[in-house]
Amino acid sequence: MESALYEWFVSHQEHVNMSGELLKEKGNYFLKELYPTATSFVFSNGWLEKFKQRHAIRSFRRFGESGSVDMEKIEAFLPKIKEELDKWPLKDIYNMDETGLFYRMQADNSLATKQLEGRKQNKERITIAICCNTDGSDKLPLWVIGKFLNPRCFKNINRDSLNCKYRANSNAWMTFLIFNEWLQWFDNRMDRNVLLILDNCTAHGKKENFPLLRHTSVMFLPPNSTSKIQPCDAGIIRNFKGYYRQRFNRQLLKRIEDRVLEPAKISILDGIVNAVAAWSIDVKPQTIANCFKHCKIKTFDADEEQVDKEIEEENKRVMGNLGAQIKELHYYNVMDINEFFDHPSEQQVTYTLSDEEIVAAIRQSEQEDNSMDDDSVEIEKISSQEAFNMLEKLEAFWIQQESVHASELLSTRKLKDVIANIKTKSMCQTTFHNYFLNNKN
């Protein structure tokens, strides 16, 4: 109940004047929703004070809106930020940011309009949390937030093999509860002290509400400044999305060739696989390092003109490849390439949660109730023998090529060995099980 109440508090504190009586009232609401058969509970003043202490809630006087931060104010903040960041080695400074991704969106204006307005936008949306360090040597596994707790396409899938963490809520948004879980995961992953740079997104809450962190110091960037001085927001996410769109387009072209009825209607599993590949394979450490340098939030021994030139060349290369793919798709009403890279509607990753959505997020099993809206298809289970046969065909393919593909051929043969071992273990387990089954008497 208190988790739901605090989620509501964080989501609404900027829009509503909070009072103790209001917290008691909402606490009583969430108690009834989450525990309908629970005995009566008195939301006393003593409980209220302890709740506020547990979550570091204090009384503040409201002031007028601060307005957007202009470049002069950003420049004023930079020396303090640099002073702190210059204390840390490059590999120990991390930035995390979230982005929305319309994982089925095509580069056709009419189709994009239909997807974003005519269809259920959230059904085709995922939120992705991206995190990396300053020199690009550590790209953390993505966190992906979808709408469905157990999509049909996840059946027969080992989620640990996806090289990402999957979470769900009814709107595929980042919430304070999910962020707190991410933050604890991030800290547990570290074997040294690091600095984590965050923006002041509502879902991030405040430092005093964070879980106990052993290795992580957190720095919040000034409000309304992240598009200028947050590395993920200043090029890394854009680069990631460019590569994602390329992988989606390649899949789209293949599905068109295979005469799939709705070629753009890929599953969320397809979207996750494409996103993980774009992040782990395509986004280069040098691109990440250049984006950190471009933001000028740390003192670098680098040629600024050279950094900007490399960023521009990378953007042109990705945009050029994407433009060539779009021409192959022969759209009648082609979307502006920059908008396709990073659609404006994708930038929102959190919003004010309704009471019902908070309850559903706390009681995640309720998300099974909307599984009828899941349009993905269960993936057929593949036997080890079928996988082995596929690899034999792939091995034959490499041998038939005119140019030499020694590394690919070697990788294929190693995979054959892995599949053979899986098959052997499976047979041993089955035989062992049958032995005891047949001799249980």
Side-chain angles (χ1 to χ4, degrees):
M1 181 275 295
E2 287 199 3
S3 295
L5 181 59
Y6 185 67
E7 185 72 59
W8 176 85
F9 178 85
V10 170
S11 184
H12 289 78
Q13 64 179 333
E14 295 184 4
H15 311 286
V16 179
N17 287 329
M18 295 292 178
S19 66
E21 292 304 313
L22 186 58
L23 286 175
K24 291 180 185 179
E25 181 181 341
K26 296 306 296 186
N28 189 46
Y29 167 81
F30 287 123
L31 182 66
K32 291 179 179 178
E33 287 294 316
L34 292 166
Y35 305 99
T37 60
T39 57
S40 59
F41 177 81
V42 178
F43 289 87
S44 63
N45 289 333
W47 168 85
L48 176 63
E49 290 305 312
K50 289 179 180 178
F51 173 78
K52 288 160 64 177
Q53 289 174 12
R54 282 191 289 272
H55 297 282
I57 297 173
R58 293 173 292 164
S59 178
F60 291 93
R61 182 181 176 185
R62 278 189 176 271
F63 292 91
E65 295 182 4
S66 60
S68 299
V69 176
D70 57 28
M71 285 305 299
E72 290 184 2
K73 291 183 179 179
I74 293 177
E75 291 291 341
F77 275 112
L78 278 177
K80 294 180 181 178
I81 297 174
K82 277 187 177 181
E83 182 181 357
E84 176 60 28
L85 265 61
D86 284 347
K87 300 175 184 177
W88 297 84
L90 295 180
K91 67 182 181 67
D92 294 339
I93 301 173
Y94 287 79
N95 179 214
M96 178 271 206
D97 195 16
E98 303 95 340
T99 182
L101 180 66
F102 297 127
Y103 63 93
R104 293 173 173 172
M105 189 174 73
Q106 300 181 68
D108 184 279
N109 266 327
S110 60
L111 183 57
T113 301
K114 182 179 179 182
Q115 283 185 320
L116 303 183
E117 297 177 6
R119 297 183 186 179
K120 293 181 180 180
Q121 173 182 333
N122 293 328
K123 187 175 181 180
E124 301 182 19
R125 170 201 177 91
I126 53 178
T127 294
I128 295 180
I130 283 178
C131 184
C132 53
N133 63 352
T134 308
D135 60 7
S137 60
D138 189 15
K139 295 187 289 183
L140 275 69
L142 300 176
W143 274 52
V144 180
I145 305 171
K147 183 179 179 181
F148 303 105
L149 186 63
N150 291 302
R152 292 190 188 98
C153 57
F154 278 18
K155 191 170 183 180
N156 299 323
I157 295 295
N158 178 5
R159 297 190 190 190
D160 293 336
S161 299
L162 296 178
N163 194 29
C164 73
K165 298 289 185 180
Y166 180 80
R167 297 296 181 268
N169 60 59
S170 57
N171 292 93
W173 301 102
M174 173 61 79
T175 67
F176 178 74
L177 293 176
I178 295 177
F179 171 73
N180 252 14
E181 185 186 359
W182 179 92
L183 188 59
Q184 189 70 70
W185 168 83
F186 173 87
D187 187 65
N188 291 339
R189 189 179 181 275
M190 296 299 153
D191 58 0
R192 63 192 189 282
N193 293 334
V194 298
L195 178 68
L196 176 63
I197 303 171
L198 296 171
D199 61 27
N200 62 341
C201 165
T202 303
H204 294 170
K206 298 183 182 299
K207 290 182 183 179
E208 51 264 34
N209 306 127
F210 289 169
L212 180 63
L213 303 175
R214 297 176 300 167
H215 303 296
T216 307
S217 299
V218 175
M219 170 187 281
F220 280 108
L221 294 173
N224 305 318
S225 66
T226 56
S227 62
K228 299 294 183 182
I229 62 175
Q230 178 170 218
C232 281
D233 209 21
I236 295 173
I237 287 176
R238 178 182 171 85
N239 187 251
F240 158 74
K241 286 189 175 181
Y243 282 118
Y244 174 86
R245 303 293 187 210
Q246 286 185 33
R247 288 183 174 272
F248 169 75
N249 282 342
R250 286 200 292 267
Q251 186 176 15
L252 181 60
L253 287 164
K254 175 66 168 58
R255 287 165 66 89
I256 290 172
E257 290 176 3
D258 294 341
R259 301 184 181 278
V260 176
L261 185 60
E262 296 181 88
K265 199 174 182 180
I266 64 170
S267 70
I268 188 173
L269 178 61
D270 292 324
I272 289 173
V273 169
N274 287 335
V276 169
W279 175 242
S280 59
I281 299 174
D282 300 329
V283 177
K284 304 298 188 293
Q286 187 59 46
T287 300
I288 292 172
N290 284 338
C291 289
F292 271 90
K293 294 172 184 176
H294 176 75
C295 290
K296 303 175 184 177
I297 55 176
K298 179 176 171 61
T299 302
F300 288 96
D301 183 16
D303 184 340
E304 291 183 11
E305 290 187 5
Q306 180 62 28
V307 167
D308 291 343
K309 181 181 178 181
E310 290 179 7
I311 291 176
E312 184 179 355
E313 288 177 351
E314 170 69 1
N315 285 337
K316 285 182 178 179
R317 188 176 64 80
V318 176
M319 290 178 72
N321 293 338
L322 201 54
Q325 286 182 329
I326 292 171
K327 286 182 179 179
E328 289 186 61
L329 290 162
H330 304 292
Y331 290 126
Y332 290 104
N333 192 15
V334 181
M335 182 187 297
D336 177 80
I337 190 71
N338 288 292
E339 188 172 303
F340 184 54
F341 248 90
D342 193 7
H343 196 281
S345 299
E346 288 181 331
Q347 295 171 12
Q348 185 179 6
V349 295
T350 184
Y351 78 133
T352 302
L353 297 170
S354 69
D355 295 349
E356 293 78 10
E357 288 164 339
I358 291 174
V359 170
I362 299 297
R363 189 169 56 206
Q364 285 194 337
S365 60
E366 286 192 356
Q367 294 179 31
E368 295 297 332
D369 294 341
N370 66 4
S371 60
M372 292 179 62
D373 294 330
D374 176 17
D375 60 7
S376 63
V377 179
E378 179 182 327
I379 295 179
E380 181 183 354
K381 192 172 181 63
I382 299 173
S383 69
S384 55
Q385 185 59 53
E386 289 173 317
F388 191 86
N389 292 342
M390 294 176 192
L391 287 171
E392 283 198 320
K393 285 189 175 182
L394 183 59
E395 183 180 23
F397 171 80
W398 292 128
I399 294 173
Q400 293 168 5
Q401 301 308 301
E402 292 185 6
S403 55
V404 177
H405 292 267
S407 60
E408 288 82 359
L409 182 59
L410 180 61
S411 297
T412 303
R413 286 172 174 165
K414 285 181 178 179
L415 286 174
K416 284 178 63 180
D417 292 341
V418 172
I419 298 298
N421 288 333
I422 292 173
K423 184 179 179 181
T424 301
K425 288 181 181 178
S426 176
M427 292 177 64
C428 290
Q429 290 171 356
T430 302
T431 304
F432 195 64
H433 173 75
N434 289 339
Y435 172 81
F436 282 102
L437 187 66
N438 295 330
N439 295 275
K440 61 181 179 179
N441 295 325

Coordinates of all heavy atoms in Angstrom, one line a residue, residues 344-396:
P344 N 9.1 13.2 -32.4 CA 8.8 14.0 -31.2 C 8.0 13.3 -30.1 O 8.2 13.5 -28.9 CB 8.1 15.3 -31.8 CG 8.5 15.3 -33.2 CD 8.7 13.9 -33.6
S345 N 7.0 12.5 -30.5 CA 6.1 11.9 -29.6 C 6.9 10.8 -28.8 O 6.4 10.3 -27.8 CB 4.9 11.3 -30.3 OG 4.2 12.3 -30.9
E346 N 8.0 10.3 -29.3 CA 8.8 9.3 -28.6 C 9.5 9.8 -27.4 O 9.9 9.1 -26.5 CB 9.8 8.7 -29.5 CG 9.2 7.8 -30.6 CD 10.3 7.1 -31.5 OE1 11.3 7.7 -31.6 OE2 10.0 6.0 -32.0
Q347 N 9.7 11.1 -27.3 CA 10.5 11.7 -26.3 C 9.9 11.6 -24.9 O 10.6 11.7 -23.9 CB 10.9 13.2 -26.6 CG 11.7 13.2 -27.9 CD 11.9 14.7 -28.4 OE1 11.6 15.6 -27.7 NE2 12.4 14.8 -29.6
Q348 N 8.6 11.5 -24.8 CA 7.9 11.4 -23.5 C 8.1 10.0 -23.0 O 7.7 9.1 -23.6 CB 6.5 11.8 -23.6 CG 5.8 11.8 -22.2 CD 4.3 12.2 -22.3 OE1 3.8 12.3 -23.4 NE2 3.7 12.4 -21.2
V349 N 8.6 9.9 -21.8 CA 8.8 8.5 -21.2 C 8.1 8.3 -19.9 O 8.1 7.2 -19.4 CB 10.4 8.3 -21.0 CG1 11.1 8.3 -22.3 CG2 11.0 9.3 -20.0
T350 N 7.5 9.4 -19.4 CA 6.7 9.3 -18.1 C 5.6 10.3 -18.1 O 5.7 11.3 -18.8 CB 7.6 9.4 -16.9 OG1 6.8 9.2 -15.7 CG2 8.2 10.8 -16.8
Y351 N 4.6 10.1 -17.3 CA 3.6 11.0 -17.2 C 2.9 10.8 -15.9 O 3.2 9.9 -15.1 CB 2.6 10.9 -18.4 CG 1.6 9.8 -18.3 CD1 0.2 10.0 -18.6 CD2 2.0 8.5 -18.0 CE1 -0.7 8.9 -18.5 CE2 1.1 7.4 -17.9 CZ -0.2 7.7 -18.2 OH -1.1 6.6 -18.1
T352 N 1.9 11.6 -15.6 CA 1.2 11.5 -14.3 C 0.3 10.3 -14.3 O -0.7 10.2 -15.1 CB 0.3 12.8 -14.1 OG1 1.1 13.9 -14.1 CG2 -0.4 12.7 -12.7
L353 N 0.6 9.3 -13.5 CA -0.2 8.1 -13.4 C -1.5 8.3 -12.8 O -1.6 9.0 -11.7 CB 0.6 7.0 -12.7 CG 2.0 6.6 -13.3 CD1 2.7 5.8 -12.3 CD2 1.8 5.9 -14.6
S354 N -2.5 7.6 -13.3 CA -3.8 7.6 -12.6 C -3.8 6.6 -11.5 O -2.9 5.7 -11.4 CB -4.9 7.1 -13.6 OG -4.8 5.8 -14.0
D355 N -4.8 6.7 -10.6 CA -4.8 5.8 -9.4 C -4.9 4.3 -9.9 O -4.2 3.4 -9.3 CB -6.0 6.1 -8.5 CG -5.9 7.5 -7.9 OD1 -4.8 8.1 -8.0 OD2 -6.9 8.0 -7.4
E356 N -5.7 4.1 -10.9 CA -5.9 2.7 -11.4 C -4.6 2.2 -12.0 O -4.2 1.0 -11.8 CB -7.0 2.7 -12.5 CG -8.4 3.0 -12.0 CD -8.6 4.5 -11.8 OE1 -7.7 5.3 -12.2 OE2 -9.6 4.8 -11.2
E357 N -3.8 3.0 -12.7 CA -2.5 2.6 -13.3 C -1.5 2.3 -12.2 O -0.7 1.4 -12.3 CB -2.0 3.7 -14.2 CG -2.8 3.7 -15.5 CD -2.6 5.0 -16.3 OE1 -2.1 6.0 -15.7 OE2 -2.9 5.0 -17.5
I358 N -1.5 3.1 -11.1 CA -0.6 2.8 -10.0 C -0.9 1.5 -9.3 O -0.1 0.7 -9.0 CB -0.7 3.9 -8.9 CG1 -0.1 5.2 -9.5 CG2 0.1 3.6 -7.7 CD1 -0.3 6.4 -8.6
V359 N -2.2 1.2 -9.1 CA -2.7 -0.1 -8.5 C -2.2 -1.2 -9.4 O -1.7 -2.2 -8.9 CB -4.2 -0.1 -8.3 CG1 -4.6 -1.5 -7.9 CG2 -4.6 0.9 -7.2
A360 N -2.4 -1.1 -10.7 CA -2.1 -2.1 -11.7 C -0.6 -2.3 -11.7 O -0.1 -3.5 -11.8 CB -2.5 -1.8 -13.1
A361 N 0.2 -1.3 -11.5 CA 1.7 -1.4 -11.5 C 2.2 -2.1 -10.3 O 3.1 -2.9 -10.3 CB 2.3 0.0 -11.6
I362 N 1.5 -1.9 -9.1 CA 1.8 -2.6 -7.9 C 1.4 -4.0 -7.9 O 2.2 -4.9 -7.6 CB 1.2 -1.9 -6.7 CG1 1.7 -0.4 -6.5 CG2 1.5 -2.6 -5.4 CD1 3.2 -0.3 -6.3
R363 N 0.2 -4.2 -8.4 CA -0.3 -5.6 -8.5 C -0.2 -6.0 -9.9 O -1.1 -6.1 -10.7 CB -1.8 -5.6 -8.1 CG -2.4 -7.0 -7.9 CD -3.7 -6.9 -7.2 NE -4.6 -6.0 -7.9 CZ -5.6 -5.3 -7.3 NH1 -5.8 -5.5 -6.1 NH2 -6.4 -4.6 -8.1
Q364 N 1.0 -6.4 -10.4 CA 1.4 -6.6 -11.8 C 0.6 -7.8 -12.4 O 0.4 -7.8 -13.6 CB 2.9 -6.9 -11.9 CG 3.7 -5.6 -11.8 CD 5.1 -5.9 -12.4 OE1 5.6 -7.0 -12.4 NE2 5.8 -4.8 -12.7
S365 N 0.1 -8.7 -11.5 CA -0.6 -9.8 -12.1 C -1.9 -9.4 -12.8 O -2.4 -10.1 -13.7 CB -1.0 -10.8 -11.0 OG -1.8 -10.2 -10.0
E366 N -2.4 -8.2 -12.5 CA -3.6 -7.7 -13.1 C -3.3 -7.4 -14.6 O -4.3 -7.3 -15.4 CB -4.1 -6.4 -12.4 CG -4.7 -6.6 -11.1 CD -5.4 -5.3 -10.6 OE1 -5.4 -4.3 -11.3 OE2 -6.1 -5.4 -9.6
Q367 N -2.1 -7.2 -15.0 CA -1.8 -6.9 -16.4 C -2.1 -8.1 -17.3 O -2.3 -8.0 -18.5 CB -0.3 -6.6 -16.5 CG 0.0 -5.3 -15.8 CD 1.5 -4.9 -16.0 OE1 2.1 -5.3 -17.0 NE2 2.0 -4.2 -15.0
E368 N -2.3 -9.3 -16.6 CA -2.7 -10.4 -17.4 C -4.1 -10.2 -18.0 O -4.5 -10.8 -19.0 CB -2.7 -11.7 -16.6 CG -1.3 -12.1 -16.1 CD -0.4 -12.4 -17.3 OE1 -0.8 -12.9 -18.3 OE2 0.8 -12.3 -17.1
D369 N -4.9 -9.3 -17.3 CA -6.3 -9.1 -17.8 C -6.3 -8.5 -19.1 O -7.3 -8.6 -19.8 CB -7.0 -8.2 -16.7 CG -7.2 -8.9 -15.4 OD1 -7.1 -10.2 -15.4 OD2 -7.4 -8.2 -14.4
N370 N -5.3 -7.7 -19.5 CA -5.3 -7.0 -20.8 C -4.6 -7.8 -21.9 O -4.2 -7.3 -22.9 CB -4.8 -5.6 -20.7 CG -3.3 -5.6 -20.4 OD1 -2.6 -6.6 -20.3 ND2 -2.8 -4.4 -20.2
S371 N -4.3 -9.1 -21.6 CA -3.5 -9.9 -22.6 C -4.2 -10.1 -23.9 O -3.6 -10.5 -24.9 CB -3.1 -11.3 -21.9 OG -4.3 -12.0 -21.6
M372 N -5.6 -9.9 -23.9 CA -6.3 -10.1 -25.1 C -5.9 -9.1 -26.1 O -6.1 -9.3 -27.3 CB -7.8 -10.0 -24.8 CG -8.4 -11.1 -24.0 SD -10.1 -10.9 -23.6 CE -10.8 -10.9 -25.3
D373 N -5.4 -7.9 -25.7 CA -4.9 -6.9 -26.6 C -3.6 -7.2 -27.2 O -3.1 -6.5 -28.1 CB -4.9 -5.5 -25.9 CG -6.2 -5.0 -25.5 OD1 -7.2 -5.4 -26.1 OD2 -6.3 -4.3 -24.5
D374 N -2.9 -8.2 -26.7 CA -1.5 -8.5 -27.2 C -1.7 -9.2 -28.6 O -2.3 -10.3 -28.7 CB -0.9 -9.4 -26.2 CG 0.5 -9.9 -26.7 OD1 1.0 -9.3 -27.6 OD2 1.0 -10.9 -26.1
D375 N -1.1 -8.6 -29.6 CA -1.3 -9.1 -31.0 C -0.1 -9.9 -31.4 O 0.0 -10.3 -32.6 CB -1.6 -8.0 -32.0 CG -0.5 -7.0 -32.0 OD1 0.6 -7.2 -31.4 OD2 -0.7 -5.9 -32.7
S376 N 0.8 -10.2 -30.5 CA 2.0 -11.0 -30.9 C 1.6 -12.5 -31.0 O 0.5 -12.9 -30.5 CB 3.1 -10.9 -29.9 OG 2.8 -11.3 -28.6
V377 N 2.5 -13.3 -31.6 CA 2.2 -14.7 -31.8 C 3.2 -15.6 -31.1 O 4.4 -15.2 -31.1 CB 2.2 -15.0 -33.3 CG1 2.0 -16.5 -33.6 CG2 1.2 -14.2 -34.1
E378 N 2.8 -16.6 -30.5 CA 3.7 -17.6 -29.8 C 4.7 -18.1 -30.8 O 4.4 -18.5 -31.9 CB 2.9 -18.7 -29.2 CG 3.7 -19.7 -28.5 CD 2.9 -20.8 -27.9 OE1 1.8 -20.5 -27.5 OE2 3.4 -22.0 -27.9
I379 N 6.0 -18.1 -30.4 CA 7.1 -18.7 -31.3 C 7.1 -20.2 -31.1 O 7.1 -20.7 -30.0 CB 8.4 -18.0 -30.9 CG1 8.4 -16.5 -31.2 CG2 9.6 -18.7 -31.7 CD1 9.7 -15.8 -30.9
E380 N 7.2 -20.9 -32.3 CA 7.3 -22.3 -32.2 C 8.6 -22.8 -31.6 O 9.7 -22.2 -31.9 CB 7.2 -22.9 -33.7 CG 7.3 -24.4 -33.8 CD 7.2 -24.8 -35.2 OE1 7.1 -24.0 -36.1 OE2 7.4 -26.0 -35.5
K381 N 8.5 -23.8 -30.7 CA 9.7 -24.3 -30.1 C 10.6 -25.0 -31.1 O 10.1 -25.9 -31.8 CB 9.3 -25.2 -28.9 CG 10.5 -25.5 -28.0 CD 10.0 -26.3 -26.8 CE 11.1 -26.6 -25.8 NZ 11.8 -25.4 -25.3
I382 N 11.8 -24.8 -31.1 CA 12.8 -25.4 -32.1 C 13.6 -26.4 -31.3 O 14.2 -26.2 -30.3 CB 13.7 -24.3 -32.7 CG1 12.9 -23.3 -33.4 CG2 14.8 -24.9 -33.6 CD1 13.7 -22.1 -33.9
S383 N 13.6 -27.6 -31.9 CA 14.4 -28.7 -31.3 C 15.9 -28.5 -31.6 O 16.3 -27.8 -32.5 CB 13.9 -30.0 -31.8 OG 14.3 -30.2 -33.2
S384 N 16.7 -29.2 -30.8 CA 18.2 -29.1 -31.0 C 18.6 -29.7 -32.3 O 19.5 -29.2 -33.0 CB 18.9 -29.8 -29.9 OG 18.5 -31.1 -29.7
Q385 N 17.8 -30.7 -32.8 CA 18.1 -31.3 -34.1 C 17.8 -30.3 -35.2 O 18.6 -30.2 -36.2 CB 17.3 -32.6 -34.3 CG 17.7 -33.4 -35.6 CD 19.1 -33.8 -35.6 OE1 19.6 -34.4 -34.7 NE2 19.8 -33.4 -36.7
E386 N 16.7 -29.6 -35.1 CA 16.4 -28.6 -36.1 C 17.4 -27.5 -36.2 O 17.9 -27.1 -37.3 CB 15.0 -28.0 -35.9 CG 13.9 -29.0 -36.1 CD 12.5 -28.4 -35.7 OE1 12.5 -27.8 -34.6 OE2 11.5 -28.5 -36.4
A387 N 17.9 -27.1 -35.0 CA 18.9 -26.0 -35.0 C 20.2 -26.5 -35.6 O 20.9 -25.8 -36.3 CB 19.1 -25.6 -33.5
F388 N 20.6 -27.8 -35.3 CA 21.8 -28.4 -35.9 C 21.7 -28.4 -37.4 O 22.7 -28.1 -38.1 CB 22.0 -29.8 -35.3 CG 23.4 -30.3 -35.6 CD1 24.4 -30.0 -34.8 CD2 23.6 -31.2 -36.7 CE1 25.7 -30.6 -35.0 CE2 24.8 -31.7 -37.0 CZ 25.9 -31.4 -36.1
N389 N 20.6 -28.8 -37.9 CA 20.4 -28.9 -39.3 C 20.5 -27.5 -40.0 O 21.1 -27.3 -41.1 CB 19.0 -29.5 -39.7 CG 18.9 -30.9 -39.3 OD1 19.9 -31.6 -39.1 ND2 17.7 -31.4 -39.2
M390 N 20.0 -26.5 -39.3 CA 20.1 -25.1 -39.8 C 21.6 -24.7 -39.9 O 22.0 -24.0 -40.9 CB 19.3 -24.1 -38.9 CG 17.8 -24.3 -38.9 SD 17.1 -23.2 -37.7 CE 15.4 -23.9 -37.6
L391 N 22.3 -25.0 -38.9 CA 23.7 -24.7 -38.8 C 24.5 -25.4 -39.9 O 25.5 -24.9 -40.5 CB 24.3 -24.9 -37.5 CG 23.9 -24.0 -36.4 CD1 24.4 -24.4 -35.0 CD2 24.4 -22.6 -36.6
E392 N 24.1 -26.6 -40.2 CA 24.8 -27.4 -41.3 C 24.6 -26.7 -42.6 O 25.5 -26.6 -43.5 CB 24.3 -28.8 -41.3 CG 24.9 -29.7 -40.3 CD 24.7 -31.2 -40.6 OE1 23.6 -31.5 -41.1 OE2 25.6 -31.9 -40.3
K393 N 23.4 -26.2 -42.8 CA 23.1 -25.4 -44.1 C 23.9 -24.1 -44.1 O 24.4 -23.7 -45.2 CB 21.6 -25.1 -44.2 CG 20.7 -26.3 -44.5 CD 19.3 -25.8 -44.8 CE 18.5 -27.0 -45.3 NZ 17.1 -26.5 -45.6
L394 N 24.0 -23.4 -43.0 CA 24.8 -22.2 -42.9 C 26.3 -22.5 -43.2 O 27.0 -21.7 -43.9 CB 24.6 -21.6 -41.5 CG 25.3 -20.2 -41.3 CD1 24.9 -19.2 -42.3 CD2 25.1 -19.7 -39.9
E395 N 26.8 -23.6 -42.6 CA 28.2 -24.0 -42.9 C 28.4 -24.2 -44.4 O 29.4 -23.8 -45.0 CB 28.5 -25.3 -42.1 CG 29.9 -25.7 -42.3 CD 30.2 -27.0 -41.5 OE1 29.2 -27.7 -41.2 OE2 31.4 -27.2 -41.1
A396 N 27.4 -24.9 -45.0 CA 27.5 -25.1 -46.5 C 27.5 -23.8 -47.2 O 28.2 -23.6 -48.2 CB 26.4 -26.0 -46.9

